[in-house]
Amino acid sequence: MTVINGHSLQGRKKNPLKLIKHSDIEIVRFVKVKGEASPYNGDLVYWSTRMGKHPEMPVRTALLLKKQKGKCTHCGLWFNEEDVIELDHIIPQAIGGKNEYKNWQLLHRHCHDEKTKYDLRKIKEHNTQKRGEELLKTWDNVNYIWVNDIPYMADKQGQVWGRNADGKEYVIYKFS
Ligand SMILES: [Zn+2]
């Protein structure tokens, strides 16, 4: 397809064709497009993927479609026009993933469901690990003794308090 630069023709009414310099002619080559696809025939996914934009597609979705070359990151299959496409945070926000372009991906709805299950496991692991670390940190900084397999923490004075059978508290150990 040859496109003659419109600007070069304007204002040159006298035999314009003779005045066109070689550099005024741009050759624009289009990769052969799929079948009858055009930006307005409803093939949103195809055109957003190709162009990274489409008047009827949210900008973010179109950009991600282009970045992902029209494929779902989870299953590697193409998005089809009838698919529900959902936005996913690659690293869940609950474990520190940011709400930004490089942490976004598009997934099929059913792939997103699978990813979410996986994310929930990761979040749980992350939280358990974090709680464990915090607990360890706490116990590293205090004095404690084991009583019947239960750690008893000392107070600021280094005293470990226990409880009598009658419910009264008493010092069972003192760190010096
Ligand atoms: Zn998928």
Side-chain angles (χ1 to χ4, degrees), residues 106-119:
L106 298 175
L107 301 176
H108 292 114
R109 171 170 279 179
H110 56 275
C111 291
H112 194 200
D113 288 345
E114 283 178 23
K115 166 71 164 42
T116 302
K117 278 181 209 151
Y118 171 79
D119 284 350

Side-chain angles (χ1 to χ4, degrees), residues 1-3 26-33 50:
M1 180 179 184
T2 305
V3 175
E26 300 176 21
I27 311 290
V28 181
R29 288 193 179 85
F30 287 102
V31 181
K32 198 174 177 291
V33 299
R50 245 180 85 84

Side-chain angles (χ1 to χ4, degrees), residues 20 30 46 50 54 56 64 78-79 87 118 137 142 154 170:
I20 297 169
F30 287 102
Y46 175 74
R50 245 180 85 84
H54 190 288
E56 292 158 50
L64 288 169
W78 302 100
F79 290 116
L87 183 82
Y118 171 79
K137 245 186 256 168
V142 295
Y170 68 108

Side-chain angles (χ1 to χ4, degrees), residues 8 28 33 79 83 86-87 116 120 135 147 155-156 165 167 175:
S8 66
V28 181
V33 299
F79 290 116
D83 291 336
E86 294 183 345
L87 183 82
T116 302
L120 289 174
L135 204 63
V147 181
D155 63 15
K156 280 176 186 160
F175 286 92

Side-chain angles (χ1 to χ4, degrees), residues 18-29:
K18 270 190 181 167
L19 294 167
I20 297 169
K21 283 177 278 169
H22 190 69
S23 60
D24 288 329
I25 301 171
E26 300 176 21
I27 311 290
V28 181
R29 288 193 179 85

Side-chain angles (χ1 to χ4, degrees), residues 15-174:
N15 197 2
L17 291 175
K18 270 190 181 167
L19 294 167
I20 297 169
K21 283 177 278 169
H22 190 69
S23 60
D24 288 329
I25 301 171
E26 300 176 21
I27 311 290
V28 181
R29 288 193 179 85
F30 287 102
V31 181
K32 198 174 177 291
V33 299
K34 186 183 81 176
E36 295 292 297
S38 93
Y40 302 101
N41 75 353
D43 201 346
L44 280 177
V45 172
Y46 175 74
W47 277 96
S48 301
T49 300
R50 245 180 85 84
M51 312 298 281
K53 61 182 179 185
H54 190 288
E56 292 158 50
M57 181 70 85
V59 172
R60 179 168 70 181
T61 310
L63 282 173
L64 288 169
L65 273 172
K66 191 169 187 223
K67 183 183 173 192
Q68 295 177 210
K69 299 183 169 66
K71 288 177 184 174
C72 167
T73 324
H74 187 80
C75 66
L77 300 175
W78 302 100
F79 290 116
N80 289 306
E81 200 59 34
E82 61 274 15
D83 291 336
V84 179
I85 302 175
E86 294 183 345
L87 183 82
D88 174 59
H89 289 86
I90 299 168
I91 301 167
Q93 287 179 283
I95 56 173
K98 294 211 175 91
N99 193 26
E100 62 184 13
Y101 184 64
K102 63 179 178 191
N103 195 35
W104 291 331
Q105 62 182 354
L106 298 175
L107 301 176
H108 292 114
R109 171 170 279 179
H110 56 275
C111 291
H112 194 200
D113 288 345
E114 283 178 23
K115 166 71 164 42
T116 302
K117 278 181 209 151
Y118 171 79
D119 284 350
L120 289 174
R121 271 203 306 276
K122 277 195 85 173
I123 293 166
K124 215 176 145 190
E125 274 171 27
H126 174 90
N127 289 345
T128 306
Q129 198 188 344
K130 221 172 137 193
R131 267 201 302 276
E133 280 165 10
E134 275 163 17
L135 204 63
L136 277 176
K137 245 186 256 168
T138 308
W139 287 99
D140 274 350
N141 294 326
V142 295
N143 291 315
Y144 60 94
I145 57 166
W146 292 95
V147 181
N148 299 328
D149 290 332
I150 298 165
Y152 278 63
M153 215 187 278
D155 63 15
K156 280 176 186 160
Q157 285 74 43
Q159 303 174 116
V160 180
W161 291 83
R163 210 178 276 275
N164 263 333
D166 61 8
K168 274 189 185 157
E169 283 193 275
Y170 68 108
V171 176
I172 53 175
Y173 191 84
K174 181 150 173 39

